[in-house]
Amino acid sequence: GMEGLSVSSVLLTGCDGGLGLGLLKGLLEQPSPPRHLFAACLDPQGKSCGRQPVPKPSCHLADVTDPNSIKAAVGKVQEEVGSAGLNLLINNTSTTRRSTLATETAENMSVVYTTNTIGPLQTSQAFLPLLKEAAEAQGQREMSCSRAAIINISSILGSIEVAEAWEERQDICYRCSKAALNMLTKCLALEYGNSGILCVSVDPGHVTPPLEQGMGPVTEEESVRGVLQLLAQLSATSNGTFWDWRGQRLPW
């Protein structure tokens, strides 16, 4: 239906620009926007984040790869949400380095994996108590993004089966980090599912830098609308699965 995504509290990482900023605006424009919306920026002093129309003070998670930053963010969120917990964690922070198999380096692999895979792991671990609280506060309701969920923003470039766009973009470091992120989603789903927390990978069709024309959504708005529509529809049967912005199930 058109009632949109109704969720009381959301923490969204990677709000410095691009898709993160788009998702932030999209959440604010929902028919019933989140009461608590925490926008975590890599660069809290940066141009984009500070001036955005976020209803409450943003939670400045300066760096998803820094455990102290994450811990401070958990404290801020906890202050705001209290015993209601955190309903939805969207791990959107992502980086890439353009590369081919011939030019790929250990440094690229390490930098990209640290942000794209270890970042979401550490953030999910740290926010688990608040997500559990949210799941319990909502009682026996079915799994959903409104109750308690971790959404990992992934990419079809991480699908081993599809292996899309090889001719356009090899980007080994990015592909490997997203394939690993997808495995993390599955592990989170297996471990946290019993606590009522839904864990799903989502490809927004919006890789950075963009693929050639025609490879994904025409506009960022289209991507955001699709992702938020999908999130509103996810349920227990989607736990530990991989979807795209069109609401289509993707193969690992």
Side-chain angles (χ1 to χ4, degrees):
M2 288 317 298
E3 66 284 354
L5 176 64
S6 175
V7 51
S8 181
S9 59
V10 184
L11 171 74
L12 171 64
T13 71
C15 290
D16 296 272
L19 182 74
L21 212 46
L23 283 169
L24 190 62
K25 289 175 179 160
L27 283 162
L28 289 170
E29 285 159 12
Q30 293 299 292
S32 49
R35 273 187 56 212
H36 303 283
L37 180 53
F38 303 97
C41 308
L42 280 175
D43 175 17
Q45 271 65 55
K47 309 149 289 308
S48 58
C49 204
R51 289 205 300 270
Q52 287 317 311
V54 182
K56 294 242 185 297
S58 287
C59 145
H60 290 317
L61 173 45
D63 183 359
V64 296
T65 63
D66 171 14
N68 292 323
S69 249
I70 298 170
K71 212 170 138 183
V74 172
K76 277 192 179 175
V77 171
Q78 197 158 21
E79 256 168 57
E80 292 267 345
V81 299
S83 60
L86 175 69
N87 299 109
L88 179 57
L89 168 63
I90 305 176
N91 287 313
N92 170 65
T93 305
S94 193
T95 189
T96 187
R97 299 275 179 99
R98 296 308 305 270
S99 64
T100 64
L101 202 45
T103 64
E104 195 54 272
T105 64
E107 194 219 356
N108 277 354
M109 291 293 281
S110 172
V111 165
V112 172
Y113 189 87
T114 299
T115 298
N116 293 6
T117 314
I118 298 173
L121 167 69
Q122 294 187 141
T123 308
S124 301
Q125 286 172 329
F127 280 96
L128 175 61
L130 290 182
L131 290 159
K132 272 187 170 166
E133 249 185 313
E136 283 159 22
Q138 300 275 357
Q140 289 309 299
R141 283 187 42 204
E142 209 208 344
M143 277 181 160
S144 71
C145 286
S146 303
R147 184 184 174 195
I150 297 172
I151 301 299
N152 288 328
I153 300 297
S154 185
S155 168
I156 196 162
L157 297 188
S159 168
I160 291 171
E161 196 172 318
V162 177
E164 178 148 314
W166 180 251
E167 303 308 320
E168 291 85 5
R169 167 169 307 173
Q170 294 194 358
D171 291 7
I172 313 301
C173 52
Y174 186 78
R175 287 177 187 270
C176 291
S177 73
K178 291 300 190 180
L181 178 67
N182 285 347
M183 176 53 103
L184 176 64
T185 295
K186 183 60 93 172
C187 295
L188 293 169
L190 291 168
E191 186 65 16
Y192 296 175
N194 300 333
S195 304
I197 301 165
L198 176 69
C199 304
V200 174
S201 273
V202 175
D203 165 38
H206 206 79
V207 293
T208 315
L211 285 167
E212 315 312 305
Q213 212 86 73
M215 294 285 326
V218 185
T219 64
E220 187 180 281
E221 286 73 27
E222 199 185 339
S223 167
V224 166
R225 200 177 320 124
V227 169
L228 293 177
Q229 225 162 17
L230 169 73
L231 298 193
Q233 288 155 8
L234 294 174
S235 66
T237 53
S238 345
N239 194 32
T241 56
F242 186 20
W243 297 80
D244 75 5
W245 60 282
R246 286 170 294 219
Q248 290 175 356
R249 175 95 184 257
L250 295 177
W252 295 118

